[in-house]
Amino acid sequence: MLERRFSDTRRKRAGGKVHLVRYADDFIVTGTSRVLLQTEVQPLVEHFLRKRGLELSHEKTRITPIDEGFDFLGQTVRRFPNGKLLIKPSKRSVKTFLSRIQETIDDAGGMTVGELIRRLNQQIKGWTMYHRFAVSKRTFEAVDDRIFRKLWRWCRRRHPQKGGKWIKKKYFQREGGRDWVFTGLIRDSTGVPRPIRLMKAAGVRVLRWVKIRSATNPYDPEWELYLEARSAWKLTHTLAGRGRIEYLWKEQGGRCVMCGQRLQAEGEPWHIHHRVWRSRGGDERYDNLELLHAHCHRQIHSKRETDGMGCVPRGAFVKA
């Protein structure tokens, strides 16, 4: 509806710059002016929802300039005076996260230190992995400082008769170049106690998400190599994806299936190839994936030695 009203001609697209971004029942609409959004866009949206028995949330709906910023899906989007638009974890998201951390610590009366660390690590990892694609480094460092202070107070309350040095020696260890690492013991599946350390939010690597090219067509073989590179990048940045790569590496004996040479851990990066191209209906199952050297992968796609289903024959390599 918004596209028909504001983007059906080039002049309208350039004049209003009205765009919709939606995730589930949360959405934002951008425009060039407050007057445009208030007098034209908002009435259209309200009418659209009213016909479907819905209405806008008056508490959450507001019109704001991008220079002041707004919160969307737990992150703050704001353009700063230097012209840069940055996306950071919102203050509300940080406050809610720290409140949940505090609740976990307050409810840890009957827990061991190891069990407390395990629960905190789950919360820290979930929150940081969600925000790691935003500008989050300083926020993660601030969160680590707040969590340390909460844990220090918890330790002092637990041992009111002990001094700071005794508490530090009991709960905080040195690990490499790091000091004051909150450490405990937890039993594994065999019942053997092993050390467990509190995860650092700032230890999570902040990544910049690369936006997909607007002209990409997954059904066009011309885009197959580009989409495979994006898929490989995603796999290398998730635990499940790295496990999949390790499985393929072991299945291939650590060798490229095209040339039979070793796949080195360092040097030229590996590529993940779909034997049946995704543009021809290939899927992500293990039997359709293989690891190749980058130059071998480019050779396959440049030669286009495919059969009618987009299958590339395997090389002469035989796993030992």
Side-chain angles (χ1 to χ4, degrees), residues 275-289:
R275 296 194 63 224
V276 179
W277 292 6
R278 293 191 298 179
S279 58
R280 306 291 177 83
D283 53 30
E284 300 290 337
R285 291 182 299 181
Y286 283 112
D287 57 1
N288 192 45
L289 301 177

Side-chain angles (χ1 to χ4, degrees), residues 180-238:
W180 293 86
V181 181
F182 193 57
T183 308
L185 295 176
I186 193 168
R187 296 186 180 276
D188 58 18
S189 58
T190 62
V192 177
R194 59 179 179 83
I196 183 172
R197 299 171 180 83
L198 183 70
M199 172 183 176
K200 280 181 65 70
V204 175
R205 183 183 176 189
V206 175
L207 302 173
R208 293 293 172 261
W209 185 264
V210 180
K211 186 178 179 181
I212 192 169
R213 298 177 188 173
S214 60
T216 302
N217 183 353
Y219 302 104
D220 186 351
E222 293 291 334
W223 290 96
E224 186 73 20
L225 191 61
Y226 169 73
L227 289 172
E228 284 186 334
R230 284 189 63 88
S231 177
W233 185 86
K234 292 178 183 178
L235 286 175
T236 56
H237 289 88
T238 63

Side-chain angles (χ1 to χ4, degrees), residues 24 26 64-65 82 96 107 111 181 186 191 219 264 269 286 304 317:
D26 293 320
T64 179
N82 59 6
T96 301
D107 295 339
M111 297 183 195
V181 181
I186 193 168
Y219 302 104
Q264 300 296 332
Y286 283 112
R304 299 188 183 183
F317 163 69

Side-chain angles (χ1 to χ4, degrees), residues 66-67 77-87:
I66 191 66
D67 294 335
V77 182
R78 181 186 173 192
R79 184 173 61 193
F80 289 82
N82 59 6
K84 289 186 177 181
L85 188 142
L86 301 180
I87 303 176

